[in-house]
């Protein structure tokens, strides 16, 4: 008798999908933060870490091997063990002289291993659960995947910060208060004589640790002057060795300016479908405040003291845009290094924010973080050897030889494209999320853009609340509710309600663009409704991919489905910004509503077994296959 029945899905689904999301966050997000803290240039970070996404793009090409060789359970456990070793490899290569090259190589290993783990975990999910339970837990798996992203981007980064704060010089705090009544001069500050105290312990000294700045630039201050000050600060910091000088690359030939002539097709779209809107013609200026910082005493020869400054608390509409990483040594310690705090021009009320500067052992901090992740994966691998069930249907192909493997490899793709309704299914995977694929790219710009450009004119901090908090809650709750109702009625019963949900809730952004409400309550309600509707409607999409993947090569077929899913988000999203700039936000959201027709249309053609995802009476008394 199989032991699947004896092991509750709650014992392994949350941990399995938490473990699926964490290495993705480590590779795609934590790596960027770590390299930034370790002094790698933005150019190199953007170039090399972008390539780390490749394994998730091309994973369908080796998914057949996961389907053919050994069990999905074996692949899950093996990949978790290798990920644990890979994260340890990153940890212990951080303190080396060639850490950038070495850690990148190991990140590649972790990326490929993590993508393979995704294939195996999704395949195991389909094998270890009945169709009913697959529907019931689809929202739970998505929720714990999201929790892992929050833990990775939040808790682990906080851990690194705590270690930094407690392993170097005394942390310093910079407080900033923005007020409409303040009028500050934009100049390079000088140190008062009293600022350099007689404390024998080495520490950092600000020209002023409490900054008062206007929410708007003083009268007569132009954007050109602010740009000039920012350019001067960058030049001085680089000249004195506080920051790394990056290659200056001109992109004038790669992008069109506002004065460039539009092509005939773009003109046609703009003139035919663009909204008529008068521009205020005003020039928006983000006010800034400049702060200087020095070391109190000279470091030893060859010693580098790095000051990393991050936002600690308060309104994120006050942002540190230059000087977040400054490197002091025996040659520049007595020269002023400069930081620039920028104030969002849409801020009209009093706002405060504080920034903390730490100078701890940064390589050691990130070594501990990756050791912690490594330990977690080794422990989760050990736990899953007990928690993961052993479904009878989880087995590899029999009589495997080299020729059989490659024959089965091509057979996997052949059988996928020979499935019934294959082209309808592909259209469904490409078009079901057509409205959301465009909408998601413009939500943040719409919330941030000023009202005379058709946006809502929210500050950065307000957007963090509206979309980053309320929106995420709505998305998560929608996914959980979708899974519960689909488990009760089945995919076929709930396909249409979910399709209408993911479509009609887009109308909230039509309302927001037309009415442009100023109260946050209305905006929060609209974003919550749209994100809840998307999370609820996305359940049908996930379940259909599981349903369509059923068969002999379900693991590999599901991986191919996810490739079409990514394509369906990528292609419309690429054109969304171009279209909005031509026709404006209001008409763009009208267009998104028109695209909902595609979502409803593809649902009319797909065929789903009425019993899929619904608990059948006989399932109460039988063991899962």
């Amino acid at each position: 008798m199989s032991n699947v029945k004896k092991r509750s899905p709650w014992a392994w689904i949350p941990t399995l999908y938490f473990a699926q999301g964490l290495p993705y966050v480590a590779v795609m997000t934590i790596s960027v933060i770590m390299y930034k803290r370790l002094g790698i240039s933005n150019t190199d970070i953007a170039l090399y870490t972008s390539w780390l996404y490749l394994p998730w793009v091309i994973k369908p090409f080796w998914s057949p091997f996961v389907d053919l060789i050994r069990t999905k359970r074996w692949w899950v456990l093996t990949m978790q063990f290798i990920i644990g070793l890979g994260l340890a490899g990153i940890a212990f290569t951080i303190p080396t002289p060639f850490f950038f090259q070495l850690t990148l190589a190991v990140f590649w290993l972790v990326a490929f291993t993590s993508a393979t783990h995704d294939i195996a975990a999704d395949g195991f999910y389909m094998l270890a659960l009945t169709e009913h339970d697959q529907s019931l837990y689809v929202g739970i798996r998505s929720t714990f995947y999201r929790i892992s992203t929050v833990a990775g981007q939040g808790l682990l980064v906080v851990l690194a910060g705590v270690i930094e704060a407690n392993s170097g010089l005394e942390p310093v705090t910079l407080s900033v208060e923005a007020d409409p009544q303040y009028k500050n001069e934009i100049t390079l500050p000088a140190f008062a004589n009293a600022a350099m105290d007689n404390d024998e312990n080495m520490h950092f000294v600000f020209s002023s640790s409490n900054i008062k700045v206007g929410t708007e630039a003083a009268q007569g201050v132009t954007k050109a002057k602010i740009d000039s000050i920012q350019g001067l600060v960058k030049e001085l910091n680089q000249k004195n060795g506080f920051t790394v000088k990056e290659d200056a690359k001109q992109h004038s030939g790669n992008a069109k300016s506002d004065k460039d002539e539009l092509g005939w097709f773009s003109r046609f779209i703009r003139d035919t479908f663009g909204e008529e809107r008068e521009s205020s013609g005003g020039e928006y200026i983000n006010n800034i405040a400049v702060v200087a910082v020095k070391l109190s005493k000279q470091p030893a020869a060859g010693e580098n003291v790095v000051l990393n400054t991050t936002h600690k608390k308060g309104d994120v509409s006050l942002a540190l845009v230059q000087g977040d990483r400054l490197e002091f040594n025996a040659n520049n310690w007595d020269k002023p290094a400069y930081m620039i705090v920028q104030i969002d021009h849409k801020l009209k009320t009093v706002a405060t924010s504080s920034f903390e500067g730490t100078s701890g052992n940064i390589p050691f901090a990130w070594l501990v973080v990756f050791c912690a992740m490594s330990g977690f994966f080794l422990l989760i691998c050990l736990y899953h050897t007990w928690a993961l069930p052993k479904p009878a249907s989880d087995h590899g192909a029999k009589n495997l030889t080299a020729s059989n493997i490659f024959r089965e490899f091509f057979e996997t793709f052949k059988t996928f494209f020979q499935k019934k309704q294959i082209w309808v299914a592909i259209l469904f995977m490409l078009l079901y999320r057509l409205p959301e694929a465009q909408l998601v790219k413009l939500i943040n710009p719409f919330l941030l853009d000023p009202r005379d450009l058709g946006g809502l004119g929210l500050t950065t901090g307000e957007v963090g609340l509206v979309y980053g908090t309320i929106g995420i809650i709505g998305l998560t709750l929608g996914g959980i509710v979708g899974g519960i109702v689909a488990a009760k009625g089945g995919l076929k019963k709930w396909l249409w309600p979910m399709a209408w949900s993911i479509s009609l809730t887009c109308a909230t952004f039509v309302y927001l663009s037309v009415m442009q409400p100023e109260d946050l309550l209305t905006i929060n309600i609209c974003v919550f409704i749209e994100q809840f509707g998307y999370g609820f409607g996305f359940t049908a999409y996930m379940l259909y991919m599981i349903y369509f993947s059923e068969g002999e090569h379900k693991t590999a077929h599901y991986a191919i489905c996810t490739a079409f899913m990514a394509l369906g988000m990528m292609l419309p999203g690429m054109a969304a910004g171009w279209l909005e700039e031509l026709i404006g936000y209001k008409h763009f959201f009208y267009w998104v509503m028109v695209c909902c027709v595609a979502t409803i249309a593809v649902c009319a053609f797909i065929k789903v077994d009425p019993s899929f995802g619904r608990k059948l009476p006989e399932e109460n008394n039988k063991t899962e296959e």
Side-chain angles (χ1 to χ4, degrees), residues 499-516:
W500 285 111
S501 172
I502 204 172
S503 301
L504 294 182
T505 51
C506 294
T508 56
F509 277 89
V510 174
Y511 169 79
L512 290 174
S513 64
V514 172
M515 303 304 296
Q516 291 186 289

Side-chain angles (χ1 to χ4, degrees), residues 4 9 12 123-130 133-134 389 391 393 624-625:
V4 178
W12 57 272
F124 185 83
Y125 178 87
M126 292 184 284
L127 292 173
L129 299 177
T130 63
D133 283 343
Q134 289 176 32
S393 55
E624 292 168 313
E625 304 261 59

Side-chain angles (χ1 to χ4, degrees), residues 27-146:
V27 171
M28 300 306 301
T29 304
I30 297 180
S31 66
V32 174
I33 300 172
M34 181 188 77
Y35 286 140
K36 182 68 175 177
R37 301 289 274 180
L38 291 170
I40 303 300
S41 70
N42 290 343
T43 303
D44 286 340
I45 291 174
L47 174 62
Y48 293 106
T49 60
S50 295
W51 280 101
L52 293 174
Y53 186 67
L54 182 63
W56 283 279
V57 175
I58 63 175
K59 68 181 182 180
F61 290 107
W62 70 87
S63 60
F65 295 105
V66 179
D67 220 3
L68 294 171
I69 302 172
R70 305 295 292 262
T71 64
K72 311 303 175 294
R73 188 179 187 275
W74 179 88
W75 279 101
V76 168
L77 295 175
T78 303
M79 293 304 105
Q80 288 178 356
F81 182 73
I82 296 176
I83 289 171
L85 295 181
L87 293 170
I90 293 170
F92 292 110
T93 53
I94 288 173
T96 62
F98 303 101
F99 76 91
F100 186 48
Q101 296 88 338
L102 293 174
T103 54
L104 270 177
V106 186
F107 269 124
W108 267 98
L109 171 64
V110 173
F112 275 101
T113 309
S114 177
T116 307
H117 179 272
D118 291 359
I119 298 169
D122 291 336
F124 185 83
Y125 178 87
M126 292 184 284
L127 292 173
L129 299 177
T130 63
E131 294 174 358
H132 164 75
D133 283 343
Q134 289 176 32
S135 301
L136 179 61
Y137 289 97
V138 70
I140 303 302
R141 63 182 257 187
S142 299
T143 297
F144 277 90
Y145 187 94
R146 292 190 190 105

Side-chain angles (χ1 to χ4, degrees), residues 307-530:
L307 177 64
N308 279 289
T309 307
T310 57
H311 182 267
K312 186 177 182 182
K313 62 181 180 179
D315 197 325
V316 294
S317 303
L318 282 61
L320 186 65
V321 295
Q322 281 198 51
D324 57 322
R325 186 184 191 278
L326 299 168
E327 188 167 328
F328 295 81
N329 53 46
N331 298 320
N332 65 8
W333 70 278
D334 57 344
K335 297 182 177 67
Y338 296 104
M339 301 177 177
I340 294 181
V341 178
Q342 181 174 274
I343 293 78
D344 192 326
H345 69 269
K346 297 183 291 297
L347 193 64
K348 303 300 180 186
T349 58
V350 177
T352 60
S353 195
S354 66
F355 302 87
E356 184 178 65
T358 57
S359 57
N361 190 330
I362 299 173
F364 176 73
W366 289 103
L367 183 151
V368 172
V369 166
F370 279 93
C371 279
M373 282 194 285
S374 173
F376 168 80
F377 266 90
L378 295 177
L379 288 174
I380 208 70
C381 176
L382 182 63
Y383 170 75
H384 282 156
T385 59
W386 169 82
L388 293 183
K390 299 178 181 179
S393 55
D394 185 17
H395 55 76
K398 298 179 180 180
N399 301 321
L400 279 183
T401 64
S403 60
N404 287 343
I405 289 177
F406 283 100
R407 183 170 63 250
E408 288 292 326
F409 176 85
F410 292 109
E411 184 71 14
T412 298
F413 288 95
K414 178 182 176 182
T415 54
F416 179 83
F417 287 98
Q418 286 180 339
K419 282 178 175 282
K420 292 181 180 179
Q421 283 204 305
I422 176 60
W423 299 113
V424 173
I426 290 175
L427 283 176
F428 178 84
M429 287 180 262
L430 292 175
L431 298 179
Y432 182 77
R433 293 200 292 172
L434 179 63
E436 189 68 27
Q438 299 171 86
L439 183 66
V440 72
K441 294 294 184 182
L442 272 302
I443 289 178
N444 277 327
F446 169 66
L447 296 175
L448 287 166
D449 267 347
R451 292 177 173 274
D452 72 328
L453 293 181
L456 295 186
L458 301 186
T459 66
T460 312
E462 289 169 337
V463 171
L465 170 66
V466 173
Y467 191 52
T469 304
I470 302 300
I472 292 296
I473 293 173
L475 182 66
T476 302
L477 290 178
I480 293 174
V481 173
I484 293 172
V485 301
K488 290 185 176 180
L491 173 60
K492 185 175 179 65
K493 177 180 178 180
W494 284 98
L495 174 62
W496 283 106
M498 289 178 176
W500 285 111
S501 172
I502 204 172
S503 301
L504 294 182
T505 51
C506 294
T508 56
F509 277 89
V510 174
Y511 169 79
L512 290 174
S513 64
V514 172
M515 303 304 296
Q516 291 186 289
E518 296 187 10
D519 62 299
L520 276 178
L521 177 61
T522 300
I523 297 171
N524 274 314
I525 290 173
C526 288
V527 171
F528 178 87
I529 291 172
E530 192 278 329

